[in-house]
């Protein structure tokens, strides 16, 4: 009787650990600014959109990589920019973002180059270890990592005074 109960509890712990979604501690930044930052446009991974084949047993379907939209919504959500667009050629400020999914070392990279009228003004690099789980949804893991990286980025641009510096404005 004791052995099946122990085996059941061990299996329960393993399954719970494998399905746990990876969460990150978000950086605290000011959301209630006296004036909003200027409109920005983002370019994610050189505007490359990943499409992946799924369910190829009987019929194949494609799945779109939503990294660009996740970054867009994470930058829009705090409401600190006047506007955030994707690939807006008329925007004076462009965030050129490179998001690299976990590599063999389980490290995710998030690099941002802030451009003002096509000149690089500031660059930021972020790294985090992402634990892949057995049953976890990759899009949710990426979304959590993106929210974390965007919070660090917004904290840094506020701390550095990137948009309050008279040399940029």
């Amino acid at each position: 009787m004791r052995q099946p109960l122990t085996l059941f509890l061990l299996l329960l712990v393993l399954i719970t650990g494998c399905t746990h979604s990876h969460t990150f501690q978000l950086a605290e930044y000011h959301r209630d600014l006296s004036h909003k930052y200027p409109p920005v446009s983002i370019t994610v991974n050189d505007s490359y959109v990943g499409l992946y084949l799924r369910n190829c047993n009987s019929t194949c379907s494609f799945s779109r990589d939503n990294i660009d939209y996740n970054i867009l919504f994470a930058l829009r959500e705090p409401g600190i920019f006047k506007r955030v667009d994707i690939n807006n050629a008329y925007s004076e400020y462009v965030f050129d973002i490179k998001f690299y999914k976990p590599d063999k070392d389980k490290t995710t990279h998030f690099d941002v180059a802030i451009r003002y009228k096509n000149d690089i003004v500031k660059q930021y690099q972020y790294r985090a270890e992402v634990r892949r789980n057995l049953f976890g949804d990759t899009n949710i893991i990426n979304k959590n990592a993106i929210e974390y990286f965007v919070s660090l980025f917004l904290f840094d641009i506020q701390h550095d005074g990137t948009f309050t510096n008279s040399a940029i404005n």
Side-chain angles (χ1 to χ4, degrees):
M1 177 68 182
R2 191 174 186 158
Q3 189 177 15
L5 180 62
T6 305
L7 185 60
F8 172 75
L9 290 175
L10 180 63
L11 186 60
L12 183 65
V13 168
L14 286 173
I15 290 174
T16 304
C18 291
T19 60
H20 175 70
S21 178
H22 191 92
T23 57
F24 298 93
Q25 181 66 38
L26 302 180
E28 296 289 326
Y29 55 88
H30 300 289
R31 292 173 180 249
D32 53 345
L33 303 175
S34 58
H35 66 282
K36 291 186 176 191
Y37 293 144
V40 298
S41 178
I42 65 171
T43 302
V44 179
N45 294 340
D46 297 322
S47 300
Y48 172 79
V49 176
L51 292 175
Y52 304 99
L53 281 174
R54 292 171 48 146
N55 304 328
C56 283
N57 293 338
S58 58
T59 61
C60 289
S61 64
F62 285 96
S63 173
R64 183 188 187 285
D65 191 339
N66 292 323
I67 291 171
D68 52 347
Y69 287 120
N70 289 336
I71 294 172
L72 175 72
F73 296 136
L75 285 167
R76 280 183 178 170
E77 190 271 327
I80 62 176
F81 295 98
K82 290 181 181 175
R83 189 179 68 245
V84 182
D85 298 320
I86 293 180
N87 300 329
N88 182 345
Y90 300 105
S91 182
E92 290 183 336
Y93 290 96
V94 175
F95 297 161
D96 186 12
I97 300 170
K98 306 284 190 246
F99 179 79
Y100 303 101
K101 296 179 184 180
D103 56 19
K104 63 182 176 196
D105 298 327
K106 301 178 186 170
T107 303
T108 299
H109 304 257
F110 187 84
D111 301 336
V112 183
I114 299 177
R115 295 181 180 275
Y116 177 68
K117 296 185 178 178
N118 215 26
D119 292 328
I120 295 178
V121 176
K122 206 84 154 143
Q123 290 183 300
Y124 297 92
Q125 293 183 335
Y126 305 97
R127 306 287 181 264
E129 183 177 317
V130 176
R131 291 187 309 264
R132 292 244 175 201
N133 51 41
L134 186 59
F135 302 111
D137 183 355
T138 305
N139 285 330
I140 291 172
I141 295 167
N142 289 338
K143 187 174 185 287
N144 290 342
I146 287 167
E147 289 171 353
Y148 168 71
F149 288 131
V150 167
S151 74
L152 292 175
F153 172 64
L154 295 177
F155 174 84
D156 285 347
I157 63 172
Q158 287 181 353
H159 180 73
D160 294 347
T162 302
F163 289 101
T164 56
N165 184 350
S166 61
I168 298 174
N169 292 327

